[in-house]
Amino acid sequence: MTREQGPGGRRAASVHDAPVDLSGWWSGDPAARKAVAAAVDRACHETGFLLLEGHGVPDDVMNAFVARCDEFFALPEPVKLACVAPKVPDGNNIGYTAFGEEASAYTGDNQTPPDLFEAMSFSRSDAEGAPFDRHRDWYPANAWPARPAGWERAYRAYEAAMARLADAVLGAMGLALGMGERWLVDLCADAPLSTRANFYTRPAGVRNPLPGQLRRGEHTDFGVLTLLWTDGVPGLQIRQGDEWRDVNPGPGQLVANIGDLLAMWTNGRWTSTLHRVLPPPANATGPAARRSIAYFVDAYPGTLIEPVPTCVTADTPARFTPILAGDWLNTRARRQLASTAAAGGITGI
Ligand SMILES: O=C(O)CCC(=O)C(=O)O
Ligand SMILES: [Fe+2]
């Protein structure tokens, strides 16, 4: 038996063994929906990460948004720096994040050197009305630079496709938890929704990574659900037991993973899994770029997160103290900001 094998000689479940096909969900057939919910439940429990197929996000919508993000990251640095938005301590930070400005591991109180990426972040564009006004810092207005042309249109199409997909996954999750299809969908209807386009590269003149310096340091996501597109370049890994295992979505697949709030809601039945992104091997030559785009569903800041009754039993009593979603998100976002301060602001590397 190797270290990678469980007690029965069986290797621990891998996200690659059982991609989740959402076609049955879109069919609307109750039995098909139950089967999808069972597959989601298994994956959320075993790894906290899912590879999604039949997700319904049209290629042309995804490709058009990716192309605009590529155009943006190729712009001269001063043009990108003009898109830096003032940081808010308790809210969603949008706009440009320069290379070397953040270290994700800080969110888990792990002080590493700055991560090797730059990013552009966006917020949901339909946040109008009283619930949003009460927590306005979580729903900032996007500012669209003149370049690349057509970015806002491409974003809105992407955003609509991801919102539809998020509702399907949240629907399957609610069903899996015995709370019904609408439960999580309704709870997350007013949630902060944000998108982050990540660009990992090795800019000219940047030295080799320092010890412990990664493209993205190990972290868990803070919220409920993350939907991730990657360009297929390896690097993403998840922590399972005492080892790191690769997650390499195939062509057409998207990644879904759960965040801390959902782990708390499910009383730990589902895992908010540590993940990271490795730099390319030291002997790799050239720019070795990697791109990913993450869509984050959080929970409304005023929502109390307490374990759902279906996940609390005599054998598994409540493990988490109830907490307001906003309090949890603020704590983690503040640690993230601390990494920026430690990195020396936007001149990090
Ligand atoms: O780039 C990736 O594959 C993962 C990014 C990530 O973990 C995040 O944005 O939270
Ligand atoms: Fe993440």
Side-chain angles (χ1 to χ4, degrees):
M1 190 172 95
T2 71
R3 216 166 53 85
E4 292 179 344
Q5 292 171 330
R10 203 167 62 86
R11 200 180 152 91
S14 152
V15 290
H16 296 281
D17 296 338
V20 174
D21 185 350
L22 290 176
S23 311
W25 188 265
W26 305 119
S27 78
D29 170 58
R33 287 199 161 188
K34 256 177 108 171
V36 171
V40 166
D41 190 23
R42 196 164 45 242
C44 288
H45 178 69
E46 288 180 345
T47 60
F49 267 69
L50 298 69
L51 291 179
L52 297 179
E53 294 175 352
H55 48 68
V57 178
D59 282 350
D60 58 338
V61 168
M62 198 67 235
N63 293 341
F65 185 51
V66 170
R68 295 310 185 293
C69 294
D70 285 348
E71 258 182 78
F72 175 77
F73 289 118
L75 291 169
E77 193 65 12
V79 179
K80 292 187 279 186
L81 288 174
C83 299
V84 171
K87 305 274 184 223
V88 290
D90 294 333
N92 241 337
N93 281 297
I94 56 161
Y96 181 57
T97 299
F99 191 81
E101 193 188 322
E102 268 184 25
S104 290
Y106 269 63
T107 59
D109 254 347
N110 182 0
Q111 277 87 36
T112 63
D115 293 342
L116 303 163
F117 76 100
E118 56 190 303
M120 183 69 179
S121 304
F122 313 86
S123 179
R124 67 186 287 173
S125 33
D126 62 349
E128 278 171 30
F132 304 113
D133 289 339
R134 272 198 287 281
H135 298 279
R136 189 39 71 188
D137 280 352
W138 281 100
Y139 306 93
N142 293 311
W144 295 102
R147 283 191 286 168
W151 210 8
E152 180 173 9
R153 195 153 34 89
Y155 170 70
R156 283 183 179 251
Y158 155 87
E159 181 186 33
M162 298 312 277
R164 177 174 178 268
L165 171 58
D167 277 359
V169 177
L170 294 172
M173 287 174 157
L175 202 54
L177 293 171
M179 299 295 288
E181 288 180 14
R182 295 298 314 174
W183 177 68
L184 266 178
V185 177
D186 290 342
L187 268 175
C188 295
D190 294 335
L193 304 171
S194 54
T195 289
R196 200 164 211 214
N198 298 304
F199 188 62
Y200 303 90
T201 187
R202 195 189 341 238
V206 170
R207 60 180 180 245
N208 283 331
L210 299 165
Q213 190 172 33
L214 303 182
R215 284 191 149 175
R216 186 64 68 113
E218 67 179 61
H219 66 282
T220 58
D221 292 347
F222 320 159
V224 173
L225 170 69
T226 305
L227 299 171
L228 181 78
W229 170 91
T230 86
D231 64 3
V233 174
L236 177 62
Q237 294 191 318
I238 62 172
R239 186 81 185 172
Q240 285 186 272
D242 59 359
E243 54 175 299
W244 287 99
R245 309 234 341 230
D246 295 334
V247 174
N248 291 322
Q253 289 181 334
L254 293 174
V255 179
N257 65 277
I258 76 161
D260 302 337
L261 294 177
L262 193 49
M264 292 191 261
W265 248 332
T266 62
N267 200 28
R269 166 167 162 179
W270 294 347
T271 320
S272 177
T273 305
L274 271 179
H275 52 286
R276 67 182 187 180
V277 180
L278 294 185
N283 57 3
T285 52
R290 178 176 185 277
R291 297 113 84 220
S292 71
I293 301 178
Y295 178 88
F296 299 102
V297 180
D298 293 329
Y300 186 67
T303 301
L304 188 68
I305 307 293
E306 50 188 346
V308 293
T310 54
C311 296
V312 180
T313 62
D315 292 343
T316 49
R319 289 172 47 192
F320 300 96
T321 312
I323 185 170
L324 281 178
D327 288 348
W328 178 259
L329 297 170
N330 289 344
T331 307
R332 307 277 287 189
R334 281 177 182 215
R335 288 190 197 158
Q336 186 76 82
L337 282 184
S339 79
T340 302
I346 58 169
T347 55
I349 288 260

